[in-house]
Amino acid sequence: MLEQGKIDALRAQPVPAFSHLIDGRHVAASNGATMDIISPIDGKVLTTAARGTAADMEAAIAAARAAFEDRRWAGQPPSARKKVLMKWADLIEANALELAVLGVRDNGTEIGMAIKAEPASAAATIRYYAEALDKIYGEIAPTQSDVLGLIHKEPVGVVGAIIPWNFPMMIGAWKLGPALAMGNSVILKPAETASLSLMRMADLALEAGLPPGVLNAVTGEGAVVGEAMGLSMDLDVLVFTGSGGTGRRLMEYSARSNMKRVYLELGGKSPNIVFADAPNLAEAAKVTAAGIFRNAGQVCVAGSRLLVEASIHDEFVAAVTRAAEAMRVGDPLKTDTQIGAVNSEAQLTQNLKFVETAQAEGGQIVTGGTRILQDSGGCYMAPTIVTDVTPEATLAQKEVFGPVLGVTSFRTDDDAVRIANATVYGLAGGVWTSNLGRAHRMVRDVRTGVMHVNTYGGADGTVPLGGVGQSGNGVDKSLHAIEKYINLKTAWIRL
Ligand code: NAD
């Protein structure tokens, strides 16, 4: 149960300046540079963080490499590694409110969502992989009888993790959990506009007993420290969540440097398909609104395209509009806020531009479309619904990553599938129907990494999340994520 008084007390505390975590020590940028951290709640400077240099990133990678080579972590018995990771999860949980409030002050997510999606989910993820780490074995191949073919599962080495701003702790843990559980060393590169909570979470790992150098974290601009990470000749794996444009660059960096493995979790334009035979249209409307507007639409799997059967179009759009207008937008540190701040001025400007383009292309705004609560100094946008969006329109093709829902109607199942698949993305989708056969056909035919049936969002850590097409490659979450962080090595032994 969230207590407003405790949240208010935490938000009143000044936030100290943040520096890098390299080889177990907090260090400033090599040239002393810092960057202002602006809170999207009120537009004020919250604190500063180190504005990292390429040399800082190289130092962090060198520390991670040294930690990996001397086996100070990978060489510990699995039971010891498990104990450290379990303790880390406990510490994250023990500091959950403090971490969540710090994160919200930095990135603007409403606290009700942040407390669950961020520290609680991060702790659960770390614990999940800690529990798994001594249950993953090598294999013995069925070879001819005079040889023994052993397949070892080895840590890959040094992992770089570039994290976005929407859920830094949760997405950070999706990478850190399996990478550290398998014995790798890691360098984190949090996003410019949401680094604080993840940096604090990294500190807690050291407190839990993770040896220095095994987890390092460098703040700063993507184009500087992120690029230095991508171009490193000494990084073995690069894992990333963020935009397609950056993902493309990371693949280029890899090709131009040491051909490190690159795993990308990118954006989406996820179709939420509502048939007239949905079991409960009123419920579907509420979940549809939450599925695009929570965290101001800054959710990778957000159902940003509503495909609705023509016969119920007007009725259903009216219901989603009512649900959207009933959602309370505002100060993300108030416990009753349902839609917090947009992450930054730049993001808000971009969202509004998308709305302008949608109108120019024939879209009709049913609700929202504007910046609100300007007096606060923060970045707030009314939940926005645009109808008459053609499948070719910009709003149907490009990810906004904001509280903007585009509506397109369809007449047949084939129509729905064709429209759903008519983007370069393939991250998530949903279908609402009482017809079992239709539900399974949609799950089969809509090209995505995850399909929801008669719900939207809310999957837990036991199931994989990953995209197809230009939504990325590889998966986070579940035991399948571990494959990114191990090498298979064959030992062929003559008997
Ligand atoms: P972004 O690509 O701009 O930034 C993500 C990270 O990449 C940040 O840490 C940034 O500093 C870094 N970066 C930027 N330029 C870089 C460069 N040249 N080299 C190396 N690193 C660089 O994306 P964003 O705006 O922070 O995040 C929003 C995007 O992330 C959306 O498109 C969203 O859909 C996607 N996303 C995807 C998932 C998923 O699981 N698939 C989850 C959350 C967000």
Side-chain angles (χ1 to χ4, degrees):
M1 181 66 184
L2 279 171
E3 289 176 43
Q4 190 64 58
K6 285 191 183 160
I7 294 169
D8 292 343
L10 284 167
R11 94 183 304 179
Q13 289 178 9
V15 181
F18 275 69
S19 46
H20 305 317
L21 176 65
I22 299 179
D23 211 11
R25 287 187 302 275
H26 290 119
V27 292
S30 57
N31 61 4
T34 61
M35 55 186 187
D36 284 345
I37 303 295
I38 314 271
S39 175
I41 298 180
D42 54 13
K44 294 193 178 133
V45 176
L46 193 57
T47 184
T48 61
R51 186 186 289 272
T53 62
D56 297 338
M57 182 53 75
E58 279 152 24
I61 294 173
R65 173 60 63 192
F68 184 70
E69 296 301 331
D70 71 14
R71 298 181 60 79
R72 71 186 76 158
W73 175 240
Q76 289 190 24
S79 58
R81 282 190 278 131
K82 177 189 282 196
K83 210 166 162 185
V84 170
L85 293 179
M86 286 295 203
K87 178 145 186 231
W88 186 23
D90 291 346
L91 287 172
I92 294 169
E93 243 168 31
N95 291 278
L97 191 63
E98 188 198 328
L99 287 165
V101 171
L102 180 64
V104 171
R105 292 172 81 186
D106 196 6
N107 84 338
T109 301
E110 56 276 6
I111 186 73
M113 179 175 229
I115 191 80
K116 289 190 206 129
E118 286 279 87
S121 155
T125 298
I126 303 293
R127 213 168 265 142
Y128 177 89
Y129 292 105
E131 284 166 351
L133 71 81
D134 56 1
K135 296 168 190 70
I136 291 165
Y137 297 78
E139 295 159 16
I140 301 174
T143 55
Q144 69 240 30
S145 61
D146 60 345
V147 290
L148 181 61
L150 300 181
I151 304 168
H152 295 280
K153 295 187 173 177
E154 298 185 326
V156 183
V158 178
V159 175
I162 302 181
I163 309 298
W165 40 259
N166 54 343
F167 295 105
M169 286 186 272
M170 175 175 83
I171 295 174
W174 289 351
K175 322 286 189 200
L176 290 168
L180 292 173
M182 292 299 105
N184 297 282
S185 295
V186 182
I187 305 99
L188 271 176
K189 207 308 270 171
E192 294 85 326
T193 55
S195 44
L196 307 186
S197 56
L198 190 53
M199 294 301 284
R200 178 85 189 97
M201 191 172 115
D203 285 346
L204 294 176
L206 260 78
E207 213 177 303
L210 195 71
V214 175
L215 174 57
N216 307 274
V218 175
T219 50
E221 288 153 306
V224 178
V225 284
E227 181 175 282
M229 181 184 260
L231 287 172
S232 168
M233 293 299 289
D234 207 18
L235 196 80
D236 299 299
V237 178
L238 184 53
V239 288
F240 171 71
T241 295
S243 64
T246 304
R248 222 175 263 278
R249 274 193 206 103
L250 299 183
M251 290 183 125
E252 283 175 25
Y253 296 155
S254 168
R256 281 165 49 198
S257 54
N258 64 344
M259 296 194 281
K260 57 185 70 63
R261 273 151 57 177
V262 178
Y263 295 103
L264 307 173
E265 303 281 338
L266 307 173
K269 193 75 221 181
S270 301
N272 181 23
I273 307 167
V274 183
F275 284 93
D277 67 359
N280 181 339
L281 281 172
E283 167 72 8
K286 279 191 198 146
V287 177
T288 293
I292 173 65
F293 297 130
R294 294 302 303 275
N295 198 18
Q298 302 162 142
V299 178
C300 55
V301 298
S304 55
R305 283 188 296 154
L306 171 59
L307 309 190
V308 55
E309 193 167 353
S311 61
I312 54 160
H313 176 276
D314 294 355
E315 169 201 347
F316 192 70
V317 169
V320 180
T321 304
R322 279 195 300 278
E325 289 175 348
M327 292 176 86
R328 282 179 299 277
V329 186
D331 183 342
L333 285 172
K334 295 279 176 225
T335 55
D336 60 355
T337 291
Q338 290 166 297
I339 302 176
V342 171
N343 179 252
S344 64
E345 278 293 334
Q347 192 64 29
L348 180 52
T349 305
Q350 188 176 300
N351 294 349
L352 296 170
K353 183 93 188 106
F354 269 110
V355 174
E356 225 178 80
T357 306
Q359 276 179 296
E361 293 179 358
Q364 303 295 317
I365 296 188
V366 183
T367 187
T370 51
R371 179 176 197 154
I372 54 172
L373 306 173
Q374 219 153 344
D375 290 350
S376 65
C379 307
Y380 300 92
M381 182 169 172
T384 301
I385 299 178
V386 185
T387 58
D388 300 278
V389 176
T390 63
E392 303 75 33
T394 306
L395 192 59
Q397 291 295 322
K398 300 262 188 254
E399 182 179 49
V400 179
F401 217 56
V404 183
L405 177 66
V407 187
T408 306
S409 72
F410 69 86
R411 291 191 183 281
T412 65
D413 293 40
D414 286 351
D415 237 10
V417 170
R418 184 181 50 77
I419 299 169
N421 287 338
T423 76
V424 297
Y425 294 114
L427 187 59
V431 57
W432 298 80
T433 177
S434 303
N435 179 326
L436 187 63
R438 170 180 272 162
H440 281 289
R441 281 196 302 277
M442 289 289 148
V443 169
R444 183 193 63 196
D445 294 342
V446 179
R447 273 196 322 266
T448 60
V450 54
M451 276 301 278
H452 305 93
V453 179
N454 294 332
T455 184
Y456 201 95
D460 71 16
T462 60
V463 288
L465 173 67
V468 298
Q470 291 185 30
S471 287
N473 65 320
V475 297
D476 280 326
K477 308 200 299 174
S478 81
L479 294 180
H480 295 285
I482 285 172
E483 290 153 26
K484 298 193 290 193
Y485 305 100
I486 55 172
N487 281 331
L488 298 180
K489 181 187 219 167
T490 296
W492 189 254
I493 302 166
R494 180 83 184 268
L495 297 179

